Amino acid sequence: LTNRQGPTGIRCHGSGARPRNLGAMPATISVELATTAPKGASIGTGVVIGKNGPEIPSGVSLTAANLAARGFEAKPGQILAIPAKSGTHILVGLGPIGALNIDTFRTAAAALARAAFSETHLAVSLVETAPTRLDRKAVAQAVTEAVLLATYTYTAHRSVVPPRALIGVTLVVRSERAMTAAVEKGKLIAEAVILNRDLVNEPPASMTPRILTSYAERAAADNGLAITIFDETDLDRERLGGLKAVSLGSAEPPRMVKMVYMPAGAARNVPTIALVGKGVTFDSGGLSLKPSDGMLTMKCDMAGAGLVISIMSIIARLAPAVRVIGYCCITENMPSGTATKLGDVMVARNGKTVENHNTDAEGRLILMDGLSLAAEDKPDAIVDIATLTGAAIVALGTEITAVMGNNRSFTSQVMAAARSVGEETWELPLFPRYRKHIDSSIADMKNIGNAGQAGSIIGGIFLQEFVDGRPWVHLDVAGPAFVNADDGMITRGGTGVMVRTLIELIETFERPKK
Ligand code: BES
Ligand code: MN
Ligand code: ZN
């Protein structure tokens, strides 16, 4: 059996693995601008609810009563396809006119793109439907993102790729020139989300620590970033005791990756944000082995590191005015004769000691080293992104990211960024009284709290020990990073959640107040 080559020549672990050039293939359709709908295209039109009910758009020959008879009430995202002279006319509900916001247009665009799956071309007039109180450029960007993300599919491992008729979407606008930059921005952001989805969806045999690292190398090369990679021979010298311990059970060597983006011509005191991602390419639980059902989706456990790599992959084109430092803590978590044991004590990069009470609470053990490194850079703020706790799914389900932090102003900044791109977050408190839950009888702390109690908060309280008091937010994406059903812009499997939020945060970043 031969092992094929990864994107930068790294050998795949396991037989038959098929490494590919992820993110480089056209995973989605093309989005163009025009002032009129192309011939033969199906037409997608938004329908708002006004004072007297659904307002029939011009060009639709049905009455409100006709629409009602077909069950169409113009509720947000509701679809009605009407055969027309050329192609199909697809109506999408936008809801009450007074409640229209950017998110309405995301929902509508995603629904239209899904409804048009079996058409070859769709022309969408949504942007001009937006009321003047909304920024039309922002609407155009949002519609572009929604169309590209809703039509994403992961077909890399099918021998027969299910056919999709839809090849292109045209945004019909009054002035192409005015909207070009917004559409290009939407495409760029969708590219990052799609790369994150591809990285997460790739099976663990072909997304090993070294292969994931090769995508960071590619991002760095493409974007002119400084990159530092610590490998298994550097762990002791760099005192990465947590990453080392977690990696001991695996045949695959771990990696700690640092990438630095510096804005062109920036002053020395340019605002700086550090991103730290959990990159467990497969979480078996280690010796505290997971049951099979819980292990099944654990290729998703590198979503946080994948997010950092995805943002770094577009950062030169995004060209934000802040310095962005990205850390990816990358390893497998496997059981074996060389695995770290319960009761073992490791020393984190910042010198704190941790007694291992459960090898399945491994994310915090690798992030403690990544966060320590990030804090040493003295950034203005740190964000970590991690599929950290099953408890976050219990608390908030799969559509809401759990947010924790140590600085009111920065936490609010992150949550506001999420709100503006239509990603849901909710804050959990890091009350100091729960610090005692991770007291250890022999070390500075242990890596789990009391069974069944505040599991996500305990994860946050643990991580807080490693940020050296710097403004920091912890995003626990265990729920929304990987889902089993399509829903609007979200597609099943890896979702790329928080990519858009963190891009927005980077672009609007302000140094947090004390
Ligand atoms: N990677 C898991 C968390 C997870 C669960 C992510 C489900 C996505 C979906 C994490 O490493 C883990 O196993 N956490 C443990 C922590 C516990 C041992 C304190 C958990 O949630 O059970
Ligand atoms: Mn685990
Ligand atoms: Zn994990």
Side-chain angles (χ1 to χ4, degrees):
L1 294 170
T2 52
N3 286 335
R4 299 185 210 191
Q5 300 278 305
T8 56
I10 288 159
R11 282 190 181 278
C12 256
H13 172 60
S15 60
R18 305 191 205 176
R20 269 166 314 284
N21 208 12
L22 297 177
M25 16 182 203
T28 51
I29 54 187
S30 74
V31 177
E32 315 289 343
L33 280 161
T35 47
T36 53
K39 267 215 184 66
S42 298
I43 312 290
T45 308
V47 182
V48 296
I49 305 175
K51 274 201 296 289
N52 307 312
E55 294 181 355
I56 313 300
S58 60
V60 176
S61 53
L62 299 176
T63 64
N66 290 151
L67 299 184
R70 297 175 192 216
F72 183 79
E73 301 163 82
K75 284 196 216 137
Q78 195 184 11
I79 290 287
L80 180 67
I82 315 166
K85 274 190 224 96
S86 70
T88 313
H89 204 143
I90 307 174
L91 302 185
V92 63
L94 294 171
I97 196 159
L100 291 179
N101 58 39
I102 293 261
D103 227 29
T104 318
F105 289 91
R106 287 192 185 97
T107 306
L112 274 180
R114 284 185 187 286
F117 233 63
S118 55
E119 316 289 333
T120 54
H121 205 108
L122 176 72
V124 177
S125 58
L126 282 176
V127 175
E128 299 299 338
T129 313
T132 45
R133 70 185 152 79
L134 293 181
D135 173 2
R136 293 234 162 123
K137 290 187 181 123
V139 173
Q141 184 188 326
V143 166
T144 304
E145 292 170 16
V147 160
L148 290 170
L149 295 178
T151 51
Y152 169 86
T153 52
Y154 183 69
T155 58
H157 299 272
R158 297 202 187 273
S159 57
V160 179
V161 176
R164 172 178 59 198
L166 189 63
I167 51 171
V169 171
T170 301
L171 306 189
V172 180
V173 293
R174 254 183 296 249
S175 159
E176 285 176 50
R177 252 229 321 239
M179 296 295 159
T180 305
V183 169
E184 290 309 312
K185 182 81 172 285
K187 288 183 188 176
L188 184 64
I189 290 173
E191 180 184 322
V193 177
I194 286 168
L195 175 59
N196 195 4
R197 289 179 181 181
D198 278 346
L199 293 172
V200 170
N201 288 335
E202 189 70 6
S206 43
M207 194 44 66
T208 61
R210 284 179 292 171
I211 296 175
L212 183 56
T213 300
S214 73
Y215 285 94
E217 291 180 278
R218 192 179 78 179
D222 290 351
N223 288 270
L225 313 178
I227 182 167
T228 312
I229 302 172
F230 294 138
D231 68 20
E232 66 278 16
T233 65
D234 301 317
L235 298 174
D236 290 331
R237 189 193 68 231
E238 297 298 329
R239 307 187 316 280
L240 306 178
L243 184 64
K244 178 173 181 177
V246 174
S247 72
L248 283 176
S250 176
E252 284 288 330
R255 296 286 184 264
M256 176 68 78
V257 180
K258 176 185 186 181
M259 289 170 272
V260 183
Y261 162 79
M262 189 66 164
R268 193 123 40 84
N269 68 343
V270 61
T272 302
I273 183 161
L275 306 178
V276 182
K278 172 179 176 181
V280 175
T281 60
F282 186 70
D283 181 11
S284 73
L287 291 177
S288 310
L289 196 67
K290 284 182 185 297
S292 191
D293 284 354
M295 201 188 295
L296 179 60
T297 58
M298 281 302 133
K299 68 175 184 183
C300 79
D301 218 15
M302 37 55 70
L307 179 149
V308 174
I309 292 168
S310 300
I311 290 181
M312 288 305 199
S313 298
I314 63 156
I315 199 139
R317 284 174 285 160
L318 200 64
V322 297
R323 182 198 293 153
V324 183
I325 307 176
Y327 282 97
C328 300
C329 317
I330 306 179
T331 181
E332 293 182 338
N333 184 27
M334 296 291 282
S336 80
T338 57
T340 196
K341 303 169 187 78
L342 307 195
D344 271 343
V345 174
M346 61 221 106
V347 187
R349 165 84 186 188
N350 73 351
K352 294 190 182 182
T353 61
V354 179
E355 185 184 9
N356 199 338
H357 276 230
N358 188 322
T359 61
D360 199 12
E362 85 296 345
R364 61 200 73 181
L365 301 178
I366 62 176
L367 288 170
M368 72 186 185
D369 290 335
L371 287 170
S372 302
L373 285 167
E376 287 170 27
D377 296 332
K378 303 195 186 305
D380 296 297
I382 304 173
V383 180
D384 78 71
I385 314 95
T387 44
L388 205 73
T389 64
I393 312 175
V394 176
L396 298 173
T398 62
E399 297 186 43
I400 304 168
T401 296
V403 177
M404 287 151 263
N406 62 356
N407 177 291
R408 184 72 262 137
S409 119
F410 186 51
T411 303
S412 300
Q413 211 180 126
V414 174
M415 293 178 78
R419 198 169 311 122
S420 77
V421 302
E423 296 194 304
E424 304 287 9
T425 62
W426 198 256
E427 188 177 1
L428 300 177
L430 296 180
F431 291 141
R433 58 175 70 245
Y434 283 170
R435 173 59 179 78
K436 60 181 176 285
H437 288 210
I438 56 170
D439 285 347
S440 158
S441 51
I442 65 164
D444 297 342
M445 69 197 97
K446 59 188 169 99
N447 66 334
I448 58 170
N450 301 346
Q453 293 181 25
S456 302
I457 292 174
I458 296 302
I461 285 176
F462 182 95
L463 296 177
Q464 189 171 7
E465 296 281 329
F466 303 93
V467 300
D468 197 24
R470 301 208 153 255
W472 153 80
V473 156
H474 163 51
L475 299 175
D476 191 336
V477 292
F482 194 90
V483 300
N484 52 30
D486 294 342
D487 181 13
M489 296 169 71
I490 298 293
T491 49
R492 70 173 176 274
T495 61
V497 71
M498 291 293 124
V499 169
R500 292 184 305 112
T501 292
L502 292 184
I503 290 172
E504 176 72 15
L505 176 74
I506 288 167
E507 292 204 291
T508 58
F509 181 65
E510 282 175 26
R511 281 196 175 96
K513 298 192 255 329
K514 264 281 168 191

